[in-house]
Amino acid sequence: GRVAGHTPGPAAGGRLPRLGSRGDGCLHRPGKRGGSVAAEATGPNPTDRARPGTKRHVLTDAHGIPLAQRLTPANQNEITVFEQLLDAVPPVRGRVGKPRRRPHKLHADKAYDFPRARRALRARHIQGRIARRGIDSSAKLGRHRWVVERTFAHLNRLRRLSTRYERRKDLHDAFFTLGCCLLAFNHLSRLC
């Protein structure tokens, strides 16, 4: 005779039994570690035994207030987001006339020592002070660099940013933006 297709119904507790069909057959199976969403935001960290990681880029003013920020995979070069950071600075209100969008002077470390970065600064009429690899010592630039390092230290005090727990880039970027907003708010509240 004919075999009747039987799908077991819910068990006594309202759950489906462990063995049996779940309807459409689409079960969530483990796939590639990290998933496709996390793959776009992480890369093998060259300084941490190739563990997947994220690099944070911040452009600050002279007081350490973050003006623009970006996230990239850990293995991506800094020069790839340099122009994006410069263009992401919001206009500054103040005097009557056209608001100033860009800083007058920019200090950067040796990671940005590329002709492409210097051309980008000249095109935007920004005076650049980028340490040259093999020529300038890092001690000279440290007088200006500590401001950015202090900003990173303040961001690392926030637990959600010191260790990345989120797999999705948009969530980590949201926490990163929120951390930068908190730093700006704290600085402005001290002024008032």
Side-chain angles (χ1 to χ4, degrees):
R2 201 171 69 163
V3 177
H6 175 68
T7 305
R15 296 182 300 168
L16 291 173
R18 297 182 92 183
L19 299 174
S21 173
R22 288 202 175 234
D24 61 354
C26 294
L27 297 175
H28 293 287
R29 294 183 180 93
K32 183 179 174 185
R33 187 173 179 200
S36 61
V37 175
E40 72 185 29
T42 60
N45 191 347
T47 61
D48 195 14
R49 294 179 292 197
R51 291 181 181 166
T54 304
K55 193 182 294 185
R56 289 181 250 153
H57 306 270
V58 177
L59 179 70
T60 67
D61 68 350
H63 301 291
I65 299 173
L67 301 175
Q69 75 276 352
R70 292 286 182 269
L71 287 175
T72 59
N75 61 341
Q76 191 171 349
N77 200 342
E78 282 87 356
I79 197 65
T80 57
V81 295
F82 184 69
E83 294 179 39
Q84 293 176 11
L85 280 174
L86 291 177
D87 293 335
V89 176
V92 179
R93 289 188 181 193
R95 300 182 193 142
V96 177
K98 186 177 179 184
R100 177 134 180 98
R101 280 193 63 88
R102 296 187 176 91
H104 294 286
K105 190 192 293 187
L106 184 124
H107 292 271
D109 61 0
K110 295 178 185 181
Y112 297 96
D113 184 26
F114 288 97
R116 178 178 166 188
R118 296 182 193 282
R119 283 193 304 267
L121 290 175
R122 277 194 302 271
R124 290 165 177 80
H125 305 290
I126 300 173
Q127 179 186 355
R129 175 64 182 98
I130 301 174
R132 294 169 291 179
R133 283 175 278 175
I135 298 172
D136 293 334
S137 71
S138 58
K140 281 181 160 182
L141 193 61
R143 289 178 285 168
H144 306 284
R145 176 81 181 140
W146 71 271
V147 177
V148 179
E149 294 299 331
R150 181 185 62 183
T151 302
F152 279 123
H154 287 315
L155 287 171
N156 285 334
R157 286 190 315 185
L158 305 172
R159 196 176 84 178
R160 297 298 288 220
L161 294 177
S162 62
T163 302
R164 181 174 172 174
Y165 297 105
E166 295 81 21
R167 287 182 174 239
R168 290 176 37 192
K169 179 185 177 188
D170 59 342
L171 290 177
H172 190 65
D173 194 23
F175 281 119
F176 185 37
T177 305
L178 183 62
C180 291
C181 291
L182 285 173
L183 287 182
F185 176 76
N186 289 339
H187 182 76
L188 292 175
S189 64
R190 274 185 255 133
L191 294 178
C192 297

